[in-house]
Amino acid sequence: MATTDSHVRVRRAPLAGRLTDYWFTVYRRTWKGSIVSSFVTPLLYVLSLGVLLGGYVRADPATLEGAPTYVAFVAPGMLAAASMQMVFGELSYNVFGRIRWQKTYHAMTASPLGVTDIVQSQVAYVLARVTLAAAVFVIVLAPFGVFASPGGAVLALLAQPLIALAFATPVFAFSAWVTSDSAFALLFRLAMLPLFLFSGAFFPIANLGPVLETVARLSPLWHGVDLTRMLTLGTVEVGPVLVHLVYLLVLGGVGYLLAVRALTRKLVR
Amino acid sequence: MSALTHLALREERRRRGALASAGVVVHRNYLTYRRMWWLFLSGFLEPVLYLFSIGVGVGQLVTGFEVDGREISYAAFVAPGMLAFAAMNGTLLDATMNFFFKLKFAKTFDQMLATPLSTRDIALGELAWSLARGGIYSTAFLLLMVVLGLVQSWWAVLVVPAALLIGVAFGAVGMALTTWMRTFQDFEWVTVATLPMFLFSATFYPVTTYPRWLQLFAEITPLYRGVVLVRELCLGTVGPAALVSVVYLLLLGVAGLLVVRRRLDRLLLR
């Protein structure tokens, strides 16, 4: 690595860009399978839980954090949760397998590319995919009348890559750090699923009771869900929005440092 | 295979019997999981987390349902659905992905066939293993329901056999379909089939929510049959109509197993 850098003088920024091209080539060959996960799945959840189960929910804005209907409450929750789940799906086996099974990263580092380029480009690719899927989701949700204003819908969409970033780098770090693929079953069951179910996506976290509510407030997905919900319902308050933005950005930043460190240990010995 | 080894194999099989042979397969799976017991245990968490989130969290928003003329809490309505779902999901995990991995990548079955085991023993053994797993999970889940006061009848002692029945149906059909899978991407189809069942088969609300023609559609899915069966047992509202569910699930299971056996013969023995 060090020798490559001293011999070939290249500007750092375009390198990660070249790798992003690689990721989209991969996507062009596998996109069909993602239709179900990024389009059909959220639609079915909105229909089943939002619309049909929502018919049995007393629609009271006071108990639903300001939402006029249950579907308006649950829709932003599922948008944010879908962004998170996509990150877990994209950066678990895909990272581990490229280190352990396919050795793709090893091949990449044999070129002028460095570890930071690999992490940056793959995270950028995942953020782009999440944004694309979220755009589809927002269009699917529009006819259900869950957006207070078109501007709110656009801002909620723009919040998704930030939520994705907060999960992408920590998950990348985890996948680069573990030594066995069975760790992912635990990651999904002990991290992703509890986050999905208890971060205010399906019910207000006040329903958890005072102690668990405080715990839920620490959950990064709750910050994402609350941010998205304020934007879709048009109930934006500046203070909480800033807290959410800072929390998600810091998590993404810390995760990035950890990811680079973990991948360096695996690739450069 | 020479005539002599063939004879020896037949003799060996006769001596062991079908159950003991399937038992060897179960034992093999037990040994591979013994060092990953935490992985095994964590599988139980999924339905429990769903129960607390949907049943308790969302339950505080929902007015409660009337089932068979009785008003019940939302948690009491959802819990049997989660148990049936867990029975389906748990068995399918072993019967699809894990089964595929052993069939195509690890070549576990090829190795087993080099021993006196037959394709019938493999099919039965793999199914028995996933049922054992499903049985353990559903027993634990039922106990949790009892502790939370969500079980209202002694009929509930039959919930575990009912969960096993759901497992037989989904496990056998899942294994049969897996024999046609070519890559891991094909398992997207399993999600296409199971997700709508999870969301629309009377798991979260009664099917009376739908118009009549859609109700019929939901009622013929095997998960619906499992959910209503478990719910009837938990609430003690079992009638002769429950036999429809039992027979339906049983038939699916037997049909699936017959197909698995035939397909394994074709895939592994030529």
Side-chain angles (χ1 to χ4, degrees):
Chain A
M1 287 300 308
T3 48
T4 321
D5 279 355
S6 59
H7 283 86
V8 188
R9 294 186 66 82
V10 278
R11 283 166 55 222
R12 301 301 301 164
L15 279 177
R18 283 183 210 176
L19 258 181
T20 309
D21 173 61
Y22 159 77
W23 286 105
F24 278 97
T25 310
V26 172
Y27 183 56
R28 269 211 303 281
R29 294 181 188 167
T30 54
W31 64 275
K32 279 186 192 138
S34 69
I35 290 182
V36 172
S37 53
S38 55
F39 181 73
V40 180
T41 309
L43 180 64
L44 292 180
Y45 265 93
V46 169
L47 279 177
S48 169
L49 295 178
V51 178
L52 293 164
L53 179 61
Y56 295 95
V57 173
R58 282 176 304 252
D60 179 4
T63 51
L64 288 179
E65 296 182 357
T69 58
Y70 185 61
V71 70
F73 173 85
V74 108
M78 282 196 278
L79 178 60
S83 300
M84 173 191 79
Q85 283 178 316
M86 197 165 187
V87 169
F88 274 83
E90 281 287 327
L91 291 175
S92 45
Y93 291 97
N94 270 343
V95 169
F96 184 83
R98 281 184 166 77
I99 297 169
R100 178 63 73 90
W101 300 319
Q102 297 169 312
K103 311 273 181 204
T104 320
Y105 297 150
H106 291 83
M108 288 172 177
T109 49
S111 75
L113 295 165
V115 171
T116 52
D117 301 315
I118 293 173
V119 177
Q120 283 168 16
S121 72
Q122 196 166 352
V123 168
Y125 160 76
V126 170
L127 298 195
R129 279 214 50 193
V130 166
T131 314
L132 196 69
V136 175
F137 201 169
V138 164
I139 293 167
V140 169
L141 286 173
F144 293 96
V146 299
F147 297 114
S149 69
V154 172
L155 286 177
L157 171 61
L158 292 179
Q160 301 315 303
L162 179 64
I163 297 169
L165 175 71
F167 290 102
T169 52
V171 173
F172 196 118
F174 179 85
S175 305
W177 173 67
V178 294
T179 49
S180 154
D181 62 319
S182 52
F184 291 117
L186 288 189
L187 179 73
F188 289 125
R189 283 173 190 156
L190 301 183
M192 192 182 81
L193 192 65
L195 281 171
F196 176 59
L197 291 172
F198 298 99
S199 294
F202 296 103
F203 57 89
I205 52 170
N207 287 9
L208 286 169
V211 179
L212 286 176
E213 187 188 344
T214 315
V215 178
R217 265 178 213 284
L218 297 176
S219 141
L221 184 59
W222 177 75
H223 289 274
V225 167
D226 200 50
L227 178 64
T228 311
R229 188 171 287 140
M230 284 199 281
L231 295 168
T232 61
L233 294 178
T235 54
V236 178
E237 291 170 62
V238 179
V241 167
L242 285 178
V243 172
H244 296 329
L245 292 179
V246 170
Y247 185 102
L248 295 171
L249 275 174
V250 168
L251 190 58
V254 172
Y256 175 73
L257 298 177
L258 292 175
V260 170
R261 217 169 83 133
L263 192 60
T264 309
R265 284 202 180 159
K266 283 280 161 72
L267 296 183
V268 191
R269 271 183 260 247
Chain B
M1 201 185 305
S2 80
L4 202 62
T5 33
H6 190 68
L7 267 180
L9 278 180
R10 266 216 340 232
E11 177 56 26
E12 167 73 19
R13 256 179 227 155
R14 198 189 50 74
R15 205 171 52 74
R16 271 182 177 287
L19 277 182
S21 304
V24 175
V25 178
V26 174
H27 187 234
R28 179 257 166 210
N29 284 335
Y30 161 73
L31 289 178
T32 56
Y33 258 101
R34 201 171 46 175
R35 283 172 54 206
M36 295 192 287
W37 54 269
W38 38 270
L39 199 63
F40 190 94
L41 272 188
S42 70
F44 167 65
L45 275 176
E46 257 171 66
V48 174
L49 292 173
Y50 267 98
L51 176 66
F52 278 111
S53 170
I54 307 288
V56 182
V58 179
Q60 293 178 41
L61 302 168
V62 177
T63 37
F65 295 124
E66 202 175 285
V67 176
D68 296 315
R70 231 188 317 161
E71 188 78 21
I72 55 167
S73 75
Y74 188 57
F77 180 85
V78 164
M82 289 300 112
L83 194 149
F85 164 66
M88 170 188 94
N89 209 26
T91 336
L92 272 184
L93 200 70
D94 270 326
T96 54
M97 293 281 213
N98 292 351
F99 187 77
F100 185 73
F101 186 75
K102 289 176 196 168
L103 180 68
K104 286 273 160 82
F105 293 100
K107 305 276 178 208
T108 314
F109 301 146
D110 295 83
Q111 294 161 22
M112 286 181 181
L113 287 174
T115 72
L117 292 172
S118 71
T119 48
R120 182 202 58 195
D121 304 328
I122 294 173
L124 275 178
E126 285 294 322
L127 186 65
W129 163 252
S130 54
L131 285 180
R133 191 170 174 178
I136 293 171
Y137 290 170
S138 44
T139 309
F141 194 81
L142 183 66
L143 291 177
L144 179 76
M145 284 174 65
V146 171
V147 171
L148 294 175
L150 299 175
V151 172
Q152 305 171 5
S153 157
W154 277 102
W155 278 104
V157 293
L158 291 179
V159 162
V160 173
L164 292 180
L165 197 57
I166 298 170
V168 169
F170 279 100
V173 172
M175 280 198 307
L177 293 177
T178 299
T179 58
W180 275 284
M181 305 276 181
R182 293 151 306 164
T183 63
F184 273 107
Q185 272 77 37
D186 284 343
F187 287 97
E188 194 88 21
W189 293 108
V190 176
T191 317
V192 171
T194 54
L195 185 74
M197 281 201 268
F198 170 56
L199 290 172
F200 298 101
S201 295
T203 29
F204 296 110
Y205 43 80
V207 280
T208 47
T209 310
Y210 309 127
R212 187 69 200 136
W213 62 273
L214 250 174
Q215 269 182 49
L216 292 174
F217 218 66
E219 281 172 11
I220 56 165
T221 64
L223 184 60
Y224 172 83
R225 301 257 66 104
V227 170
V228 288
L229 184 62
V230 174
R231 188 170 291 140
E232 284 166 348
L233 291 169
C234 289
L235 298 175
T237 54
V238 195
L243 279 178
V244 176
S245 303
V246 173
V247 171
Y248 182 83
L249 292 171
L250 213 56
L251 281 180
L252 267 185
V254 172
L257 267 184
L258 290 176
V259 174
V260 174
R261 170 93 201 266
R262 248 184 47 141
R263 289 283 301 163
L264 284 185
D265 278 348
R266 173 171 296 193
L267 289 174
L268 298 172
L269 293 180
R270 0 176 259 200

